[in-house]
Amino acid sequence: MRAWPHPDVPAVPGAACAPLLHDTASGGLVEVHTGDKARLYVCGITPYDATHIGHASTYLAFDTLQRMWLDAGLDVHYAQNITGVDDPLLERATERGIDWRDLADQQIQLFRDDMTALDVIPPHDYVAVTEVITPIAEAVERLLASGVGYRVATPDSEDGDDVYFDIAAAAAPGVWTLGSESGYDRALMERLSAERGGDPDRVGKRDPLDPLLWRAARAGEPRWDSVVGAGRPGWHIECSVIALDHLGTDFTVQGGGSDLVFPHHEMSAGHAAALSGHPLAAVYSHAGMVAYQGEKMSKSLGNLVLVSELRERGVDPRAVRLAVLAHHYRSDWEWTDAVLDAAIVRIGRWTAGFAESSSGSPDARSSDDVVEAVRSALRTDLDTPAAIEVLDAAASSGVDDGELVSRAVEALLGVRLRAR
């Protein structure tokens, strides 16, 4: 699958090192790199109602991580999926009276355009689940053969039975156990499973939390012939297979929104461990949720602020980016007009403040010191608000090399102040 163009990321002189990132599994800060390489997987969109500010917040968080890695001179390999066939997509296509493939294509292109406008670094591997049905089915077959997968009688299927993942069997080797990534207790996991696409009440499952690996074909649903029968993949197994195929085991960071901690990332890690005998990732990192009009921004509620609609209104995408980065990536926050207005004013202030060098002014700050202060803020769990505070002060006082600071803002925060 084609991604989108790579933005310019200028080199910035000075010492740089890999950042410390909060790890959901351990609850602590971890220096995230593997030698001179960094491998990142961020869960992609289910292509309907893209791209809202909640999406943008997540992808900008991990774009900042990539920029810090690049600044440290690391070789970055980034992979992302597209959940191009899933119940929410099919339901939305039915509501709109459109073929689900056409809806997916439209939304994927819209997402590409939004990511391009926001200067987000694209993945090296951008993979739709519909492109890897065969490898996923083969992975499900392996799990069945090893006793970690099992079939549940499915009377309404036209061809075979659904296949589920046995969390108890998967935990036996000790590489992964239920709760090892999320830290959630069972009562919370059962509630979240029911809310987030699971089926804890499904008759015939060995454990209410066992997730679906393969959905056997039903009338009127997309299907693919495979070694495990006709049907389509479950949600979590697609990310496990795509990540293992493109990044290998024990990759550096698994990223996504905090609503993916459970069940998606928990079960993806379990599937990968059962397939490979290794942990999926070294660090599990999660972005906070964005609210609008008092409620978490979500497709189900329909309280969405879309990047494409802001762009159509003539809003500068740099302001959208900076409005998001004004909040720490792990925080929950609310989008308002005031948030956007503040970002628009800030871009103007930075552009003017760093347009010229102020070496003759007694209040002018060393640009080298400003850049290192920005790096220091970002190195500590991608603290973009602290970095912005440094730049606000520098724009007010003046700097001795405005060109250097402008390059650093573009490289590290992805906000272009200089004319191209």
Side-chain angles (χ1 to χ4, degrees), residues 211-256:
L212 181 71
L213 288 169
W214 186 263
R215 179 175 170 84
R218 267 80 157 176
E221 293 186 3
R223 69 182 68 195
W224 288 263
D225 293 328
S226 79
V227 293
V228 289
R232 56 186 169 97
W235 179 23
H236 319 302
I237 188 67
E238 67 170 285
C239 283
S240 305
V241 170
I242 292 170
L244 289 174
D245 283 353
H246 291 279
L247 299 177
T249 63
D250 304 280
F251 59 83
T252 317
V253 173
Q254 163 77 75

Side-chain angles (χ1 to χ4, degrees), residues 119-401:
D119 277 340
V120 173
I121 297 171
H124 299 83
D125 303 302
Y126 192 44
V127 186
V129 63
T130 50
E131 298 176 306
V132 289
I133 298 294
T134 296
I136 292 173
E138 290 170 350
V140 173
E141 182 184 38
R142 287 170 53 200
L143 294 174
L144 279 167
S146 68
V148 178
Y150 64 96
R151 295 184 183 273
V152 172
T154 310
D156 60 336
S157 168
E158 297 184 337
D159 185 359
D161 295 322
D162 294 339
V163 180
Y164 281 84
F165 181 74
D166 188 326
I167 56 176
V175 178
W176 168 89
T177 56
L178 184 67
S180 60
E181 312 311 332
S182 67
Y184 294 167
D185 62 34
R186 187 173 181 93
L188 177 57
M189 288 191 284
E190 289 191 6
R191 177 172 67 79
L192 292 177
S193 176
E195 293 174 358
R196 297 175 177 175
D199 54 359
D201 297 327
R202 172 71 186 269
V203 175
K205 289 170 61 173
R206 296 173 182 173
D207 187 300
L209 293 177
D210 286 350
L212 181 71
L213 288 169
W214 186 263
R215 179 175 170 84
R218 267 80 157 176
E221 293 186 3
R223 69 182 68 195
W224 288 263
D225 293 328
S226 79
V227 293
V228 289
R232 56 186 169 97
W235 179 23
H236 319 302
I237 188 67
E238 67 170 285
C239 283
S240 305
V241 170
I242 292 170
L244 289 174
D245 283 353
H246 291 279
L247 299 177
T249 63
D250 304 280
F251 59 83
T252 317
V253 173
Q254 163 77 75
S258 60
D259 55 346
L260 298 183
V261 173
F262 189 89
H264 187 52
H265 285 175
E266 184 82 61
M267 296 307 179
S268 295
H271 296 347
L275 288 167
S276 71
H278 293 269
L280 179 64
V283 172
Y284 293 82
S285 179
H286 297 94
M289 297 289 100
V290 181
Y292 181 58
Q293 297 175 335
E295 297 280 355
K296 171 185 170 291
M297 197 176 294
S298 69
K299 298 173 181 179
S300 60
L301 292 175
N303 61 334
L304 303 179
V305 176
L306 300 178
V307 173
S308 57
E309 292 181 354
L310 292 172
R311 292 195 293 114
E312 288 172 3
R313 283 168 37 197
V315 174
D316 187 340
R318 298 177 304 164
V320 177
R321 182 176 182 116
L322 195 52
V324 171
L325 295 181
H327 305 83
H328 191 273
Y329 80 96
R330 284 197 292 117
S331 67
D332 296 335
W333 56 281
E334 183 163 7
W335 176 270
T336 64
D337 290 342
V339 167
L340 181 59
D341 291 342
I344 293 170
V345 170
R346 178 169 280 127
I347 286 176
R349 190 164 62 242
W350 287 4
T351 301
F354 305 135
E356 298 179 358
S357 298
S358 304
S359 54
S361 169
D363 297 325
R365 295 185 58 185
S366 162
S367 294
D368 289 337
D369 290 348
V370 170
V371 171
E372 291 313 305
V374 169
R375 280 187 170 127
S376 178
L378 295 177
R379 184 172 189 268
T380 307
D381 200 22
L382 309 180
D383 193 346
T384 52
I388 288 170
E389 185 176 347
V390 169
L391 292 164
D392 281 345
S396 296
S397 65
V399 294
D400 60 12
D401 186 348

Side-chain angles (χ1 to χ4, degrees), residues 12 27 44 52 60 86 115 125 178 183 197 281 301 400:
V12 181
H52 60 69
L60 288 173
D86 198 17
M115 293 297 100
D125 303 302
L178 184 67
L301 292 175
D400 60 12

Side-chain angles (χ1 to χ4, degrees), residues 53-87:
I53 294 295
H55 288 140
S57 180
T58 294
Y59 297 117
L60 288 173
F62 296 103
D63 187 66
T64 305
L65 175 61
Q66 283 199 83
R67 289 170 182 274
M68 289 298 292
W69 278 337
L70 293 171
D71 188 51
L74 301 183
D75 179 15
V76 180
H77 188 167
Y78 174 27
Q80 184 181 130
N81 72 306
I82 306 169
T83 302
V85 56
D86 198 17
D87 289 342

